[in-house]
Amino acid sequence: METFVEQLLNGLTLGLMYASVAVGQALIFGVARLINFAHGDLFMVGAYVFFVAYSVLGLPYPVAICVSAVVMFGFGGLFERVIVRPILDRPWHVHLVATLGASIILISAFTLMWGSTAKQVPTSYSATILQVAGFRVSLQRIIVVVVTLLSFLALHLFLQKTKTGKAMKAMSQNREACAVVGVDVRRLSTLTFAISCGLLGLAASLVSPLFTISPTMGMGLTFKAFAAVIMGGFGQVNGAIYGAIILGVTEALTAGYISSAYTDAMAFAMMILVLLLRPQGLLGRGKVGI
Amino acid sequence: MADEARILEINDLFSGYGEIEVLKGVSLEIENGEIASIIGANGAGKSTLLKTVFGLVKASHGSVVFDGQDIANKRPTDILRLGLSYVPQGRCNFPAMSVNDNLEMGAYIRTDKEVKADIESMFERFPILEARKEVMAGNMSGGEQQILEMAMALLLHPKLIMIDEPSLGLAPQLVELVFKAIQRINADGTTTVMVEQNAKKALSVSDHGIVLVLGQIGFEGTGEEIANNEEVRRHYLGG
Amino acid sequence: MKRNLGLWRLMAFVAALSIVFGVVSCGTPAPAPEPEVVKETVVVKETVIVEVTPEPQEVIKETVVVKETVVVQATPEGPKEPIRIGTGQPLTGPVAWIGQYYNQGLTMAAEEINSEGGVLGHLVQIFPCDNEAVAEKALTCVRRLVDQDKVQMIIEMGSSSTTLAAMPLMEEYEVPFLAAIVSAPSITDNTGREGGNIWAFRSCAHDGMTLDPVAKYIIPQVDTISLIAWNSAAPREAAEELKQLLEAGGVEVLSVDYTEAGQADYRPVITRIKSLDPDGLWFSIVARDAAVFIRQWRELGMSEQKLFSGSNVVGYEFLEAIKDDPSLGEGITEATLYIPGLEPDFEERYLARWGTPADYIASAAHHSLRYVVATAAEMAVQDTGEVTPSSLRDALEKVSVEMPTFGLIEFDEYNQAHPDMAVMQIQNGEIVLLETISTE
């Protein structure tokens, strides 16, 4: 029983990591009606920015996190202007080619710059092991969980309370109406990418000390996050978080009770199961909306 | 100062979608304070005319002068700021947001502090909305949503409001409610231009009737004149 | 107009994409150098074109002088044909680092051979091909290397699965092949002189040969054990084989798990192993992932278990990855083929040349060309006067060469060599040699 609870918690932390990528993907889909197949690779970019800030420049950990989040905020805006904006009004298959192409370019560029060898950036927190309610867990992992949850809360408040956040919600519900009330659709799309990537920079700086950084680290994440977005009901930010957690828990329980060789298979089987039971997704209303 | 009476002047306007030209030289004038109805068969270009004026469809030729300024091909945001609001056909609200939030979105381009008070005054004006304040817009009836959309547009205190098909898909008693609301809006000083399928009903409340035929002005006159015109009756008012 | 502009942008984008694609992902040298151009050696992926140091240039000049003399002496012989060697490697994708090490080792061996004047005057050229560790791409690589690059020999295909896929085609093409790092036993099931594939050779030991000594080493130390292997052909085979050997020796195998390369979170698996509480753990996870694994292992408070590794965890890459806390690796024991620290000279040269420490792959790649293939090529030139695929093959069969670290390399009737193994352990952040075992 204790093992089961521990496996649930393992799944929860893994799910939160997927969620930090999935929320941005859901937000982008909601606002720009575009599936960003380079999203996991932008996470990779964030991880390298953090690596440079923390390991190369030797900045203190909290400062390095902020640097990564801020740089990625800017990079996200730039990404939108260069890659996304020219094709925003074009059909979905153009979106697919453009963002997949961007993914390949990012992976190749970072392989050129940093090589394909993985980098490790352990912090002193990753070696500090705490006993929490009978479970052994590193301080770094606790930081990941707490800060990720806080960032989700901040995003939630932003979408619920601020004018810009409401406009993003509005965009996901009715684009034409947004144009009619005078929302600058393009500016909002840039801002959405910037915010999503800022979140990625934050998440990457939190998670990287636990794992390794390499140019190909994002590929799997893109599709895991995409599965979470589909499960959550397209473009639903909260749904994407739930979807990601279901994914993480499924993986943890599979690895914990069956075999880790089947984690991916079970995760995607779970996605199919959710869609069979609720074709509109967990929180979907049959229509798109954040 | 003849111009002062005219809030909107359209001159020889051409526009369309890509290769397909829909408006082929439309010229018309809207007097300050009137209710004007644009009627016509499907595909005559009624909605395109409103969209072109609002900057959503590109004008290829001609001018649109609103309140003394040429607004042809300006961005919708700028046109809104000049005092011209637009309520498109079909649902134009945010279904998963509350009525209150929808009204806030209606005032999106406003940055002044009076927005809250204005929203309150909208509730006074349309008590039906006040009762639904916290309800998701998508959960309201079609007529209520139509009124919400007009209220959203009015929050910008427009000089002119253009409404596309306000009665589309509404039950008869709701149509009544919506037309009452339109007359109310007009009585409060906002010039109103609407496009309507329900031509008889629209003309009965209009000062000015315009019939679009294949992208050009077919007939024009007072609401009553148009309603009584034999040819118009035969073709557009169902006998 | 607006539509056209969008289209132009899209086309420009696609053009940019294909350029980047062309430059980066395929990573092959631009057109293959003409046979007469002897200065250039290799291009590996995005790494640099080999610079020619002053010495080799002098050597080349000398050769040219000799050649002129030869010409004067009226033997109308052109410059000596270079030896063209192909290799298929994953240069892109999640295991691209394997190809990177491999090509660095190979490139360095070619540079060394060429700086000493080549193999009896024949310089060595390397032709890498990216197979992305995918079987179909491995076949494309074989075709390209043979048909287009005209290689006389292929060294390595990067992984057991690509090797197994490519072997029949190489046999059809009659091009000799040397496996130098891949370890699936099945590769040598159908090779050798008794009616098998006579074109394929393997200089490294396979898991069937290495696992027996590993099992014998583990059995006396534990009663129960859990196994974890990287989910790829060779490690899977190894885990299954080892399980049988251990069970035959009376050790209870409590669990066998397979993990994906680059997997981030091992906590669920470790949590389960923790609840099973075995005496020992054998894990065959590539070094870069093993560092993540061992951190999570320690995070969950695992300290009682004896740790045995496969996949060359005990090496510099792993030590580098845990250098913030060397105690993480304490006590990990591995019986392996490459012994870091025994060849300080090679390791120093490698570090100076590439800026990263050598690992098993780099060393196996370097040695297989520098010693095995170079010796075979020399024999081929002496026996037949030229280096052709068939003369190289015949020579490989007869090769007998002492290879640093790995011992005597001779191919048996299955074209399989029998290098030595070492048992090594991480102690206080250093690699310590416990004993040497034979794989005969």
Side-chain angles (χ1 to χ4, degrees):
Chain A
M1 188 58 206
E2 198 176 300
T3 313
F4 181 74
V5 173
E6 186 160 12
Q7 292 291 17
L8 275 185
L9 291 174
N10 288 339
L12 214 63
T13 51
L14 187 61
L16 279 179
M17 189 180 105
Y18 293 151
S20 59
V21 181
V23 282
Q25 228 174 7
L27 198 62
I28 287 171
F29 185 81
V31 173
R33 286 292 189 283
L34 168 133
I35 298 165
N36 182 16
F37 283 100
H39 212 62
D41 305 299
L42 290 167
F43 180 87
M44 176 273 291
V45 176
Y48 274 95
V49 173
F50 167 72
F51 168 75
V52 170
Y54 185 70
S55 286
V56 180
L57 302 178
L59 299 173
Y61 185 53
V63 179
I65 294 179
C66 295
V67 167
S68 175
V70 169
V71 170
M72 285 310 292
F73 183 88
F75 188 80
L78 187 74
F79 184 86
E80 196 273 348
R81 295 298 283 268
V82 175
I83 308 281
V84 177
R85 179 161 297 183
I87 51 127
L88 200 53
D89 297 329
R90 304 189 64 86
W92 65 270
H93 52 265
V94 180
H95 295 175
L96 178 87
V97 172
T99 56
L100 266 183
S103 155
I104 294 166
I105 290 174
L106 286 175
I107 293 173
S108 305
F110 275 77
T111 310
L112 276 175
M113 282 189 284
W114 296 100
S116 53
T117 320
K119 309 228 177 291
Q120 296 224 341
V121 268
T123 63
S124 58
Y125 310 111
S126 41
T128 313
I129 314 292
L130 303 178
Q131 290 275 355
V132 181
F135 301 120
R136 284 178 58 94
V137 64
S138 72
L139 180 56
Q140 182 69 35
R141 216 174 264 267
I142 294 173
I143 294 174
V144 171
V145 171
V146 172
V147 179
T148 304
L149 286 174
L150 283 177
S151 74
F152 289 167
L153 182 68
L155 180 67
H156 179 77
L157 289 176
F158 171 75
L159 289 174
Q160 294 300 325
K161 301 289 176 203
T162 69
K163 194 170 169 181
T164 313
K166 282 180 185 175
M168 284 181 183
K169 279 180 67 166
M171 272 281 275
S172 75
Q173 294 173 18
N174 194 336
R175 291 167 77 78
E176 194 194 10
C178 269
V180 165
V181 298
V183 174
D184 188 336
V185 173
R186 286 167 179 267
R187 198 186 70 89
L188 210 62
S189 154
T190 310
L191 190 65
T192 305
F193 268 86
I195 289 175
S196 300
C197 287
L199 283 173
L200 284 182
L202 175 70
S205 329
L206 291 168
V207 167
S208 297
L210 289 174
F211 306 129
T212 52
I213 299 173
S214 69
T216 49
M217 68 193 280
M219 295 198 299
L221 270 181
T222 301
F223 290 97
K224 288 279 168 61
F226 186 43
V229 171
I230 294 174
M231 265 204 264
F234 250 105
Q236 297 280 329
V237 169
N238 291 343
I241 295 175
Y242 300 142
I245 288 173
I246 289 179
L247 218 56
V249 170
T250 307
E251 285 191 16
L253 294 182
T254 307
Y257 292 98
I258 307 172
S259 164
S260 50
Y262 302 115
T263 50
D264 285 0
M266 286 298 284
F268 287 101
M270 185 52 120
M271 179 187 91
I272 292 168
L273 185 70
V274 166
L275 290 184
L276 283 175
L277 297 176
R278 274 188 71 84
Q280 72 275 41
L282 294 168
L283 296 189
R285 290 176 296 264
K287 281 182 188 155
V288 186
I290 292 178
Chain B
M1 296 302 281
D3 277 345
E4 205 149 283
R6 286 186 219 120
I7 183 116
L8 186 70
E9 277 186 69
I10 299 172
N11 239 314
D12 202 22
L13 187 64
F14 284 77
S15 85
Y17 307 91
E19 302 288 294
I20 306 156
E21 200 143 73
V22 180
L23 299 186
K24 297 160 186 160
V26 172
S27 299
L28 68 92
E29 288 168 5
I30 303 293
E31 303 281 322
N32 209 346
E34 71 178 9
I35 300 187
S37 287
I38 301 172
I39 62 171
N42 277 335
K46 305 178 302 258
S47 297
T48 306
L49 176 58
L50 298 196
K51 284 184 185 162
T52 309
V53 170
F54 194 65
L56 292 172
V57 173
K58 208 172 147 75
S60 51
H61 179 262
S63 68
V64 179
V65 178
F66 171 70
D67 204 20
Q69 287 198 50
D70 190 350
I71 57 164
N73 294 329
K74 281 208 155 140
R75 289 161 56 217
T77 319
D78 299 329
I79 294 171
L80 274 178
R81 283 184 208 283
L82 290 173
L84 198 166
S85 286
Y86 167 61
V87 182
Q89 185 181 340
R91 290 286 67 92
C92 178
N93 56 50
F94 307 109
M97 290 167 87
S98 69
V99 166
N100 200 45
D101 281 353
N102 266 279
L103 288 170
E104 277 183 28
M105 282 305 298
Y108 183 79
I109 60 166
R110 283 179 57 178
T111 48
D112 56 295
K113 300 242 185 293
E114 257 73 294
V115 173
K116 276 224 144 46
D118 274 5
I119 289 175
E120 285 306 316
S121 77
M122 277 306 151
F123 287 142
E124 274 165 39
R125 229 161 138 182
F126 305 105
I128 201 164
L129 295 180
E130 179 155 39
R132 300 270 193 269
K133 217 172 181 169
E134 297 305 325
V135 174
M136 296 278 172
N139 294 343
M140 299 199 302
S141 74
E144 289 165 344
Q145 291 190 41
Q146 184 66 46
I147 288 172
L148 168 66
E149 286 157 21
M150 294 190 293
M152 284 161 70
L154 289 174
L155 275 168
L156 298 178
H157 302 302
K159 298 178 186 125
L160 171 69
I161 185 168
M162 302 188 297
I163 310 174
D164 197 351
E165 303 279 9
S167 74
L168 190 75
L170 298 185
Q173 66 272 31
L174 291 177
V175 173
E176 202 57 46
L177 185 82
V178 168
F179 275 102
K180 281 246 159 60
I182 291 173
Q183 281 176 292
R184 176 85 201 278
I185 291 165
N186 184 252
D188 289 343
T190 308
T191 310
T192 310
V193 175
M194 64 175 145
V195 160
E196 244 316 323
Q197 285 286 349
N198 192 343
K200 252 186 211 164
K201 184 80 207 159
L203 290 171
S204 73
V205 302
S206 296
D207 308 307
H208 184 179
I210 300 136
V211 184
L212 267 189
V213 180
L214 296 172
Q216 286 173 320
I217 304 289
F219 305 90
E220 203 178 348
T222 63
E224 210 180 326
E225 276 168 18
I226 296 292
N228 293 330
N229 182 305
E230 262 314 304
E231 208 171 332
V232 174
R233 281 171 81 106
R234 210 169 335 111
H235 286 105
Y236 307 105
L237 303 179
Chain C
M1 264 317 281
K2 207 177 174 190
R3 277 190 112 84
N4 283 339
L5 193 65
L7 195 66
W8 273 112
R9 278 185 183 153
L10 183 72
M11 282 167 64
F13 178 75
V14 170
L17 191 73
S18 35
I19 290 167
V20 174
F21 232 145
V23 172
V24 182
S25 75
C26 111
T28 46
E34 290 300 308
E36 300 84 53
V37 181
V38 287
K39 276 201 222 160
E40 270 178 296
T41 331
V42 202
V43 179
V44 180
K45 206 180 160 198
E46 74 282 1
T47 44
V48 252
I49 294 177
V50 174
E51 290 162 32
V52 181
T53 56
E55 303 146 72
Q57 262 174 348
E58 278 167 36
V59 175
I60 290 164
K61 270 183 212 149
E62 274 176 49
T63 350
V64 170
V65 171
V66 173
K67 231 175 284 157
E68 278 169 358
T69 330
V70 170
V71 173
V72 169
Q73 285 176 353
T75 326
E77 194 184 305
K80 285 189 177 176
E81 284 283 319
I83 303 170
R84 302 160 79 86
I85 298 206
T87 179
Q89 292 297 329
L91 296 174
T92 55
V95 288
W97 55 271
I98 292 181
Q100 186 177 326
Y101 274 119
Y102 202 90
N103 276 324
Q104 288 177 359
L106 218 51
T107 303
M108 208 173 120
E111 285 169 10
E112 288 170 4
I113 293 169
N114 292 345
S115 74
E116 289 161 11
V119 177
L120 300 176
H122 296 268
L123 296 177
V124 176
Q125 289 184 345
I126 307 289
F127 296 84
C129 179
D130 181 13
N131 64 28
E132 296 171 39
V134 174
E136 302 88 76
K137 302 250 165 84
L139 296 176
T140 315
C141 272
V142 172
R143 290 194 190 98
R144 208 206 74 189
L145 290 171
V146 177
D147 293 337
Q148 185 186 316
D149 298 333
K150 311 278 183 222
V151 301
Q152 283 113 0
M153 161 147 204
I154 294 174
I155 306 184
E156 262 302 324
M157 270 291 144
S159 73
S160 291
S161 40
T162 45
T163 303
L164 286 166
M167 271 168 55
L169 185 63
M170 293 189 283
E171 185 182 16
E172 201 178 300
Y173 271 119
E174 302 197 332
V175 59
F177 169 69
L178 178 68
I181 55 166
V182 292
S183 60
S186 51
I187 287 172
T188 32
D189 281 353
N190 299 306
T191 53
R193 289 154 220 185
E194 312 281 316
N197 178 345
I198 56 165
W199 297 89
F201 295 81
R202 175 151 61 181
S203 59
C204 58
H206 65 68
D207 293 330
M209 298 154 64
T210 56
L211 286 172
D212 203 38
V214 169
K216 284 197 181 114
Y217 181 79
I218 294 176
I219 289 165
Q221 302 190 50
V222 296
D223 291 329
T224 56
I225 195 165
S226 284
L227 311 180
I228 296 183
W230 176 28
N231 194 10
S232 172
R236 277 192 87 109
E237 268 186 53
E240 279 154 26
E241 178 95 23
L242 184 64
K243 180 172 186 259
Q244 287 179 6
L245 291 169
L246 290 171
E247 281 172 346
V251 174
E252 194 186 346
V253 177
L254 299 178
S255 65
V256 183
D257 275 284
Y258 302 107
T259 69
E260 298 303 328
Q263 179 166 336
D265 207 349
Y266 298 93
R267 260 186 89 103
V269 179
I270 300 173
T271 304
R272 175 152 51 86
I273 293 174
K274 188 181 182 180
S275 69
L276 296 171
D277 194 26
D279 296 339
L281 173 81
W282 175 84
F283 61 107
S284 178
I285 304 173
V286 289
R288 59 193 317 208
D289 291 347
V292 174
F293 173 82
I294 209 73
R295 280 177 207 280
Q296 295 178 8
W297 179 263
R298 303 291 190 210
E299 182 185 348
L300 276 161
M302 310 291 277
S303 54
E304 302 291 305
Q305 282 74 15
K306 288 199 158 67
L307 296 176
F308 307 97
S309 61
S311 295
N312 300 284
V313 168
V314 177
Y316 290 138
E317 190 184 355
F318 179 73
L319 285 185
E320 172 72 18
I322 57 163
K323 66 169 188 283
D324 58 300
D325 183 7
S327 71
L328 286 169
E330 189 64 26
I332 299 177
T333 309
E334 181 163 345
T336 182
L337 297 158
Y338 174 66
I339 306 149
L342 284 195
E343 270 189 277
D345 177 46
F346 165 72
E347 287 165 22
E348 247 168 56
R349 274 184 290 145
Y350 189 91
L351 185 63
R353 177 68 181 84
W354 303 110
T356 48
D359 79 336
Y360 165 69
I361 296 171
S363 133
H366 173 270
H367 290 10
S368 63
L369 174 57
R370 182 81 208 269
Y371 301 99
V372 182
V373 174
T375 307
E378 205 174 308
M379 288 162 69
V381 175
Q382 279 163 353
D383 290 353
T384 67
E386 55 179 355
V387 180
T388 62
S390 61
S391 71
L392 259 177
R393 196 215 73 81
D394 294 343
L396 276 169
E397 225 172 62
K398 290 177 279 184
V399 152
S400 172
V401 58
E402 190 69 34
M403 195 153 97
T405 306
F406 298 87
L408 184 69
I409 300 295
E410 281 176 352
F411 295 100
D412 66 12
E413 65 267 39
Y414 302 106
N415 289 357
Q416 170 70 52
H418 295 268
D420 289 341
M421 280 183 91
V423 179
M424 299 180 301
Q425 190 170 54
I426 297 179
Q427 294 177 3
N428 302 320
E430 307 253 327
I431 295 166
V432 177
L433 176 66
L434 296 184
E435 56 183 296
T436 309
I437 10 180
S438 162
T439 58
E440 284 292 346

